[in-house]
């Protein structure tokens, strides 16, 4: 079934790239975008999405803090943290909170694998 | 008793080569110091096999070889240097009809010449029983006599690369006698040949690049060495880098050929067995064609028998044309060959299979 | 086989990983784009394998079994005593004497071409 | 331009502006963490965008800048100001790239080289002698990767090794990791990928792209011996060498040699004209150069491209032998040749850049010396150095010390007045000497400017007359500026008292000769009571000279382009006979006309043409016309100085090889006109 993906990134270019990859993978899915953590939290309160990919490097709340906040609002949301810097800390912390680490620039294959895993998790939750 | 004639201008080299064979009871040896002496001795003594130094004063090895092949054809093993220039000369020698070659160690030759003994004895013994391609030689000889290079006769007019029609791969393994055999095979294939061809020709690292260039110059296929990695395309043939292995893999969905450090489990490199096994991981066996041609030993026989059993088509060169019917013979004996055909018919067989 | 995908979806490195394991490892990583790597049972690894790990940017479950690998540093390996329940990194005061013997995984000199 | 590119440009411009804001604010308040984090984020997002549009050079550059800034963040201390400048320069380069992309819709040419340079500059900012002391006394680029506190815990001696194996290393049955692990008393191994490593999706695992840093509790000597079997570039640093904080550096020769060989081979076998790139190293060249890895990488990469292209050319050439319908073929040959030329030029630039050093290495020796010299003559002088990051060929940098020292001595000894005279003249008692370097097109200019009394032209005239350096008539006709230049003549010394420092008959003529030997020139500017400025104008690199070829009596010669003012032809009627010589009037200026054939001693029939072809040359303040038979083309050549029997021949600067293998004689304009 089609889901809605939240893309959080302060770069519109990065959001465009992620949207393009999503269109190619799941043309029937919807997406919502947020340019920062506060917008993302607002969307989460309206339960406007099922899955989220969060840029690590953002002004204000970084991706990991945002992930923690989102999970507090909705603990079952599948999350991915996206970063161009491969730092052990980020990878390890992402894993620790149950998020997937995806390298930036985002490639379709990695996003596809994450979305497949996420969809599987959501379906299991509904069953 | 095998009658061996050693042709070398260096007294030291003659002595060293003589010593290498002294412990072999089935050889009787004669020496010649230069090309003209060699020609005289060959006419008189009719040796079973000749070793010939590529670089000699007066008549150099290639000129001498050319006359041997015209006047008194007999199996010749070239002794060459492992340099780029040596590679060119050696490849030319193989084209002129030399059966095989060994490379002289670089550096302090007298100290490291022992490294050369084992391969030289093996190759000379195999060459003594080798078959000369008389028909091929005749054509080549005429060309050589008229002073034309084969490149000029077979101007490779390349057409646009064909689109891949279904994915597939031709895998070729060969050793002794391989270079001229590959030349014949590749020049008989059109630029539109739809499947990429990957070739494991046992050779030193310094030779494969020159060999690929030579084949590229005379065939309609684009031929290149797999130095690091390269995407495999139709209408192209790829020579695995010498002293290393070649493996088939995928990058971003596309088939690639990749040079891999020589795996010690395999005795010959590039290993045909390893190449074929790696291809089996990437493609359905029905998308593979294995070709095993002239060569000492058994490299490739096992893996090609395996893909044959799984549905791939395999071609073994027939005994009548193989310089040494080792590798193809093993494949035939293992019951792994779908077709056993003489060299000049392999190209036609391939075209029929991918037609 | 020293590189496998285990049932929990992690790519496992086991025992001595040679240069030949680099390509299978890479293939597994590409086929499983979000799988983590588990090298807790890895004793030694050829540099070719290590550079694939470096390029992979995947969560690395460690520490590895081998002393040399345990002592590896760099952005991809990070200090292993952080986060999960791994033993503290070796104290750096003394040379890690075991390195010499750990690393005999040098491939035998490859056979020369013969034909 | 697609929507991605548009968005990229739009967003990148905003980010560049934001990052500049943040950096400038940091300059005001280096402890402002918010500004630092803001700048870091901007660099990071810029890098991400570059990744999306596949602009690798930009991604690489911004990654390096981000690293430098991030190092500042983690150090807890405030950002050192000399880190900000190169980061700003990065942004400047980035916005120039963005402009180029906007204009042409594609990533700019040469971005890789520009990025390499800028990255080297970024690293140099961390390598600076002054502030590196904050963390590790011997710190420098790759040593930053080491954990300082862990290092402290190790016993002595300690040595660090950086090892970047050849890409082909795995094929030599070599495991670089096992190799470094077997080094003596290994303490730690740090592994990361080199900049040339590809993304996982297209990676070739058998091509080695590792960059290893190993710390050992062993002496540099032991490490050097044990590391002899390395297949690639190694750099060894003793972390506490016997003589203090100096750091020894060894550039492994294992891989540099094949790289250079490969370049030479490819140059030798492809294009005879490029034989000129076979760098002639003057006999006393500096023993070792420290070369940034990225510069070697560029070379290797360019060489690779060159070889591919060479092969393509070879293929086309083979085709052309057989192909009679050769229109398309000729076109492809032409195109490949053009590409080849571009690559060859880039390669040449890259090769030249390897030999480049900042002038800092010479400049930093002077402050102490100036103090000593001024003390010894009882004057008070302060030295101001500017532009010491200006780069020049290592040979030139090395050779500058002596002449500069001589000029500085002269300035202090003769130029700067004693404190009393200065005060009387209304100047501060302390004199100032400014040592300033700058890059000017293809030249490097070093000025030594003092605020002393200026050259005493009247005295120079008197001395010249007294020593019969010039006749009274000539002296009388000389303008003051010209007369001041007499100090560069052999044996000239105006010091009324031969002082301990700058007497002894070795005068400015030595300086002049030495600079000219390097292909440079010396310019003197002096104002009475205000001061003197001596400028050394040197070529950026020793090897490349722009020339124009001319033909005379069937012989092709080269004239240095920087001495040519213009080329023209005049009707023979306008050539005037003056005594035994000739002259020509050009734009109301009378120029002596030199018949080149005659000057070179070629016998030649007077040309029948009614037009005289003239090259107008200018050397220092002199101008003259050279009559030639034919004008040729402009080219850049590597000049080989004359040696052996020809070394003493006047009028010849050196030789170079032409594309067809002929030797080109390049003339020395100074000597021809003089």
């Amino acid at each position: 079934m089609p889901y809605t993906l939240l893309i959080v990134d302060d770069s519109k270019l990065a959001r465009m790239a992620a949207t393009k990859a999503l269109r190619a993978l799941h043309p029937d899915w919807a997406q919502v975008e947020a340019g920062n953590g506060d917008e993302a939290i607002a969307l989460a309160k309206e339960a406007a999405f099922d899955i989220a990919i969060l840029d690590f490097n953002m002004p204000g709340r970084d991706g990991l803090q945002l992930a923690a906040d989102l999970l507090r609002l909705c603990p079952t949301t599948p999350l991915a943290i996206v970063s161009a810097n491969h730092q052990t800390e980020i990878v390890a912390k992402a894993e620790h909170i149950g998020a997937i680490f995806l390298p930036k620039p985002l490639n379709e294959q990695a996003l596809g694998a994450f979305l497949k895993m996420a969809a599987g998790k959501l379906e299991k939750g509904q069953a | 008793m095998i009658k061996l004639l050693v042709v070398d201008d260096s007294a030291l080299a003659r002595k060293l080569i003589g010593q290498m064979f002294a412990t072999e009871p089935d050889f009787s040896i004669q020496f010649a110091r230069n090309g003209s002496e060699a020609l005289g001795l060959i006419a008189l003594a009719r040796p079973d096999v000749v070793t010939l130094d590529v670089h000699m004063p007066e008549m150099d090895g290639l000129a001498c070889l050319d006359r041997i092949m015209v006047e008194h054809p007999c199996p010749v093993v070239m002794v060459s240097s492992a340099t780029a220039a040596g590679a060119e000369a050696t490849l030319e020698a193989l084209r002129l009809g030399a059966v095989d070659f060994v490379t002289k160690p670089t550096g302090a030759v007298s100290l490291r010449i022992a490294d050369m003994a084992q391969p030289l004895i093996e190759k000379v013994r195999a060459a003594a029983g080798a078959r000369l391609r008389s028909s091929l030689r005749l054509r080549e000889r005429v060309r050589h006599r008229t002073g034309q290079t084969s490149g000029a006769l077979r101007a490779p007019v390349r057409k646009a690369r064909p689109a891949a029609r279904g994915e597939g791969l031709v895998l070729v393994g060969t050793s002794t006698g391989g270079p001229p055999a590959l030349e014949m095979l590749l020049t008989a294939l059109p630029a539109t040949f739809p499947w990429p061809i990957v070739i494991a020709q046992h050779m030193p690292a310094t030779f494969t690049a020159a060999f690929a260039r030579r084949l590229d110059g005379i065939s309609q296929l684009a031929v290149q060495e797999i130095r690091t990695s390269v995407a495999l395309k139709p209408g192209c043939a790829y020579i695995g880098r010498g002293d290393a292995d070649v493996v088939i893999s995928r990058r971003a969905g596309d088939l690639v050929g990749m040079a891999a450090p020589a795996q010690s489990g395999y005795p010959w490199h590039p290993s045909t067995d390893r190449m074929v096994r790696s291809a089996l991981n990437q493609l359905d066996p029905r998308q593979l064609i294995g070709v095993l041609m002239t060569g000492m030993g058994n490299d490739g026989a096992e893996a090609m028998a395996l893909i044959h059993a799984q549905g791939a088509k395999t071609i073994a060169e027939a005994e009548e044309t193989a310089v040494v019917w080792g590798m193809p013979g093993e494949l035939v004996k293992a019951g792994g060959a779908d077709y056993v055909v003489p060299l000049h018919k392999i190209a036609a067989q391939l075209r029929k299979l991918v037609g | 086989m020293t590189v496998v995908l285990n049932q929990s979806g992690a790519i496992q490195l086991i025992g001595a990983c040679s240069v030949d394991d680099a390509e299978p490892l890479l293939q597994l990583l590409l086929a499983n784009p979000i799988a983590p790597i588990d090298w807790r049972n890895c004793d030694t690894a050829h540099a070719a394998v290590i550079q694939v790990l470096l390029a992979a940017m995947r969560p690395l479950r460690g520490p590895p079994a081998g002393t040399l690998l345990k002592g590896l540093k760099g952005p991809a390996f990070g200090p292993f005593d952080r986060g999960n329940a791994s033993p503290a990194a070796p104290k750096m005061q003394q040379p890690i004497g075991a390195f010499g013997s750990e690393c005999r995984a040098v491939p035998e000199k490859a056979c020369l071409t013969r034909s | 331009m697609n929507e991605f590119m548009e968005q990229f440009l739009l967003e990148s411009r905003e980010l560049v502006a934001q990052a500049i804001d943040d950096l400038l604010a940091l300059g005001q308040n280096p402890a402002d963490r918010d500004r630092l984090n803001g700048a870091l984020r901007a660099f990071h997002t810029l890098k991400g965008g570059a990744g999306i549009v596949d602009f690798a050079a930009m991604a690489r550059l911004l990654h390096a800048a981000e690293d430098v800034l991030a190092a500042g963040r983690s150090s807890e201390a405030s950002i050192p100001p000399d880190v900000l400048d190169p980061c700003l320069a990065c942004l400047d380069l980035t916005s120039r790239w963005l402009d180029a992309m906007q204009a042409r819709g594609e990533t700019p040419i040469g971005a890789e080289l520009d990025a390499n340079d800028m990255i080297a500059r970024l690293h140099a900012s961390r390598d600076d002698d002054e502030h590196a002391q904050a963390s590790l006394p011997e710190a420098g680029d790759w040593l930053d990767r080491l954990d300082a506190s862990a290092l402290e815990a190790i016993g002595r001696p300690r040595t660090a090794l950086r090892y970047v194996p050849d890409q082909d290393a795995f094929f030599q049955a070599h495991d670089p990791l096992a190799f470094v692990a077997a080094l003596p008393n290994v303490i730690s191994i740090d592994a990361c990928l080199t900049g040339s490593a590809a993304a996982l999706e297209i990676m070739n695992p058998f091509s080695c792209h590792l960059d290893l840093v190993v710390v050992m509790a062993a002496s540099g000597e032991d490490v050097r011996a044990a590391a002899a079997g390395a297949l690639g570039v190694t750099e060894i640093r003793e972390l506490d060498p016997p003589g203090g904080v100096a750091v020894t550096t060894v550039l492994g020769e294992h891989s540099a040699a094949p790289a250079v060989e490969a370049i030479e081979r490819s140059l030798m076998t492809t294009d005879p004209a490029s034989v000129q790139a076979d760098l002639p190293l003057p006999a006393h060249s500096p023993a070792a150069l420290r070369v940034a890895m990225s510069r070697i990488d560029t070379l290797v990469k360019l060489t690779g491209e060159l070889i591919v292209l060479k092969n393509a050319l070879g293929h086309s050439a083979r085709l052309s032998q057989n192909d009679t319908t050769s229109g398309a073929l000729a076109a492809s040959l032409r195109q490949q040749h053009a590409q080849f030329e571009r690559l060859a030029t880039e390669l040449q630039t890259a090769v030249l850049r390897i030999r480049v050093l900042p002038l800092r290495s010479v400049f930093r020796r002077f402050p102490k010396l100036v103090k000593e010299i001024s003390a010894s003559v009882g004057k008070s002088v302060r030295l101001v150095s500017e532009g010491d990051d200006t780069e020049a060929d290592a040979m030139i940098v090395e050779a500058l010390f002596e002449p500069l020292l001589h000029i500085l001595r002269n300035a202090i000894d003769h130029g700067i007045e004693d404190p009393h005279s200065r005060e009387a003249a209304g100047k501060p008692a302390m004199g100032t000497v400014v040592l300033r370097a700058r890059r000017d097109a293809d030249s490097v200019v070093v000025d030594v400017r003092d605020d002393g009394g200026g050259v005493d032209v009247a005295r120079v005239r008197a001395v010249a007359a007294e020593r019969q350096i010039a006749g009274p008539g000539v002296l009388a006709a000389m303008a003051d500026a010209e007369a001041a230049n007499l100090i560069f003549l052999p044996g000239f010394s105006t010091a009324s008292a031969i002082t301990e420092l700058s007497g002894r008959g070795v005068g400015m003529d030595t300086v002049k000769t030495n600079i000219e030997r390097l292909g440079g020139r010396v310019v003197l500017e002096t104002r009475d009571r205000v001061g003197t400025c001596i400028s050394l104008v040197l070529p950026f690199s020793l090897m490349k000279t722009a020339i124009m070829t001319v033909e005379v009596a069937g012989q092709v010669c080269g004239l240095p382009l920087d001495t040519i003012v213009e080329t023209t032809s005049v009707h023979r009627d306008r050539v005037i006979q003056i005594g035994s010589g000739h002259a020509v009037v050009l734009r109301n200026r009378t120029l002596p006309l030199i018949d080149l054939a005659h000057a070179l001693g070629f016998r030649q029939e007077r040309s029948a043409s009614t037009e005289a072809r003239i090259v107008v040359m200018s050397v220092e303040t002199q101008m003259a016309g050279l009559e030639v038979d034919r004008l040729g083309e402009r080219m850049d050549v590597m000049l080989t100085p004359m040696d052996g029997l020809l070394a003493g021949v006047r009028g010849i600067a050196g030789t170079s090889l032409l594309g067809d293998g002929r030797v080109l004689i390049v003339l020395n304009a100074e000597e021809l006109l003089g």
Side-chain angles (χ1 to χ4, degrees), chain D residues 55 57-58 60-61 93 97 107-117 346:
Chain D
F55 188 175
M58 176 166 157
R60 224 155 37 83
L61 173 68
L93 178 59
W97 281 343
T107 51
I109 298 163
E112 288 288 341
L113 281 179
D114 289 344
N116 286 348
D117 271 6
E346 270 188 58

Side-chain angles (χ1 to χ4, degrees), chain D residues 644-665:
Chain D
L645 285 176
L646 291 173
V649 176
R650 260 185 84 77
I652 296 180
T655 58
S656 185
L657 279 180
L658 286 177
D660 57 8
R662 277 182 303 155
V663 173
L664 175 76
I665 290 175

Side-chain angles (χ1 to χ4, degrees), chain A residues 9-18 20 55 57-60 83-85 104-107 109, chain D residues 3-5 7-8 11-12 15 37 40-41 44-45 47-53 63 66-67 201:
Chain A
D9 199 310
D10 55 324
S11 157
K12 178 155 182 253
L13 181 65
R15 298 201 301 270
M16 281 165 70
K20 189 177 164 211
D55 182 32
N57 219 301
M58 289 188 296
S83 173
N85 284 10
K104 209 172 175 178
L106 205 53
N107 75 41
Q109 219 191 353
Chain D
E3 52 169 336
F4 274 84
M5 193 60 90
Q7 182 63 32
F8 168 74
E11 197 167 293
S12 298
L15 287 164
N37 287 334
L40 268 168
R41 254 197 323 275
H44 185 87
T45 313
K47 175 178 82 174
I52 291 172
V53 301
H63 184 76
E66 195 188 344
D67 271 359
E201 290 73 27

Side-chain angles (χ1 to χ4, degrees), chain D residues 126-361:
Chain D
R126 285 199 288 179
D127 201 12
D128 235 30
D129 295 352
E130 288 90 49
H131 85 265
Q133 288 175 349
S135 49
L136 269 173
E138 325 78 338
D141 51 334
W142 55 270
L143 287 185
D144 293 353
R145 273 160 62 186
L146 303 176
D147 178 356
S149 60
L151 271 184
E152 271 317 305
I154 306 164
R156 313 259 128 110
R158 305 169 303 170
T159 301
L161 165 88
R162 183 178 181 209
Y163 179 26
V164 181
D166 288 344
Q167 292 189 9
D168 217 31
F170 300 160
F171 286 89
Q172 322 293 320
H174 179 77
D175 180 352
L177 196 59
F179 176 77
V180 296
L183 291 170
N185 294 332
V186 172
I187 302 292
S188 72
I189 301 174
D190 173 302
C192 65
L193 293 175
T194 64
S196 61
L200 194 70
E201 290 73 27
I202 50 164
M203 177 178 189
N204 178 346
F206 303 123
S207 222
C208 184
H209 295 278
L210 281 170
D211 180 345
L212 302 168
V213 170
V214 190
V215 178
M216 288 147 283
S219 72
E221 213 168 307
D222 291 349
V223 170
R224 211 162 287 137
L231 292 176
V233 180
T234 56
E235 208 182 318
I236 294 167
R237 298 210 193 172
E238 291 177 46
L239 299 180
D240 28 35
V245 291
V247 172
T248 60
T249 302
V250 175
L251 180 67
E253 284 160 12
H254 302 89
S255 117
V260 169
E261 252 176 54
I263 294 156
E264 279 183 2
R265 251 202 323 277
S266 71
L267 288 172
M268 300 296 264
T269 53
T270 46
D271 179 0
S274 304
V275 172
Q276 296 148 1
D278 191 4
L279 310 180
L281 278 183
H284 52 97
S285 54
L289 287 174
R290 273 187 62 193
V291 179
M293 287 304 299
S294 61
R295 290 182 176 178
I296 300 240
D297 286 350
T298 309
L299 260 185
V300 172
K301 225 172 93 187
L302 283 171
T303 314
E305 277 184 61
L306 208 58
I307 285 164
V308 170
L309 193 57
K310 187 196 76 181
N311 293 343
L313 271 176
H315 181 65
S316 304
R318 272 201 302 281
L319 281 182
S320 72
Q321 288 175 353
N322 310 314
D323 206 332
T324 46
T325 59
S326 54
L329 185 64
S332 96
L333 266 179
R334 255 201 315 278
Q335 189 202 346
Q336 284 165 353
H337 188 251
Q339 265 178 296
F340 192 94
E341 211 158 70
R342 180 180 62 79
L343 278 178
T345 313
E346 270 188 58
L347 183 67
Q348 199 177 38
T349 315
V351 171
L352 294 178
R353 282 182 193 193
I354 283 196
R355 296 173 45 88
V356 152
L357 274 183
L359 284 168
R360 184 181 307 123
S361 56

Side-chain angles (χ1 to χ4, degrees), chain D residues 7 21 32 74 82 87 98 111 135 198 209 254 288 301 338 356 505 520 598 605 612 629 659 666:
Chain D
Q7 182 63 32
D21 258 13
D32 190 336
S74 56
D82 47 357
C87 287
L98 296 175
S135 49
H209 295 278
H254 302 89
K301 225 172 93 187
V356 152
H598 183 73
E605 304 296 309
D629 293 346
V666 178

Side-chain angles (χ1 to χ4, degrees), chain D residues 404-629:
Chain D
L404 280 178
L405 183 60
H406 197 90
I407 297 171
L408 282 169
R409 270 180 186 157
N410 250 316
I412 297 166
D413 201 12
H414 306 312
I416 304 282
E417 314 89 329
D418 64 75
H420 281 299
S421 320
R422 288 183 65 88
E423 272 170 1
K427 295 182 185 179
M430 180 185 271
T432 301
V433 178
V434 180
L435 183 59
R436 173 165 174 257
R438 67 198 143 93
R439 180 79 186 266
D440 182 11
D442 264 353
S443 303
V444 175
V445 184
V446 183
D447 300 327
V448 183
R449 179 186 299 275
D450 66 59
D451 64 349
V455 174
D456 184 344
V457 180
R459 225 191 119 52
V460 170
R461 286 179 194 276
V463 172
E466 178 190 318
R467 302 195 180 164
Q468 298 178 330
I469 283 168
V474 177
L475 277 175
M478 268 184 188
D480 275 3
E482 219 172 328
N485 274 297
L486 290 170
I487 65 162
F488 292 112
L489 291 180
F492 196 101
S493 174
T494 59
S496 39
I498 290 186
T499 67
E500 195 181 328
L501 288 166
S502 37
R504 309 246 166 89
V506 184
M508 295 300 285
D509 60 313
T510 323
V511 170
K512 188 168 185 255
T513 323
N514 284 342
I515 295 302
E516 282 172 356
R517 196 170 290 157
L518 292 169
R521 60 202 159 88
V522 182
V523 179
L524 172 87
E525 226 182 288
T526 182
R527 283 179 65 192
D528 191 28
R529 292 190 297 272
V530 176
T532 303
C533 177
I534 293 180
S535 303
L536 310 181
V537 184
L538 292 145
F540 173 68
S541 74
L542 264 188
M543 285 86 62
K544 221 165 127 187
T545 311
I547 60 151
M548 192 173 112
T549 59
V550 297
E551 202 181 309
V552 60
Q555 168 77 42
V556 178
C557 304
L559 292 169
L561 208 60
D562 59 355
T563 57
I564 297 179
V565 178
E566 63 175 313
T567 59
T568 182
S569 25
V570 299
H571 200 270
R572 291 218 175 275
D573 293 353
R574 289 172 54 199
V575 176
I576 321 156
Q577 182 95 22
I578 300 178
S580 63
H582 293 86
V584 67
V585 178
L586 272 183
R587 284 189 276 284
N588 296 329
R589 189 164 171 180
T590 307
L591 296 177
L593 184 61
I594 299 165
D595 184 348
L596 188 56
H598 183 73
L600 294 176
F602 300 146
R603 254 169 297 159
Q604 195 189 18
E605 304 296 309
R606 170 56 48 217
S607 157
S609 76
T610 52
E611 294 280 307
R613 239 169 263 261
I614 295 171
V615 182
V616 181
M617 319 271 299
S618 150
V619 174
E620 292 166 0
T621 51
Q622 271 206 58
M623 276 177 86
L626 279 184
E627 186 180 347
V628 300
D629 293 346

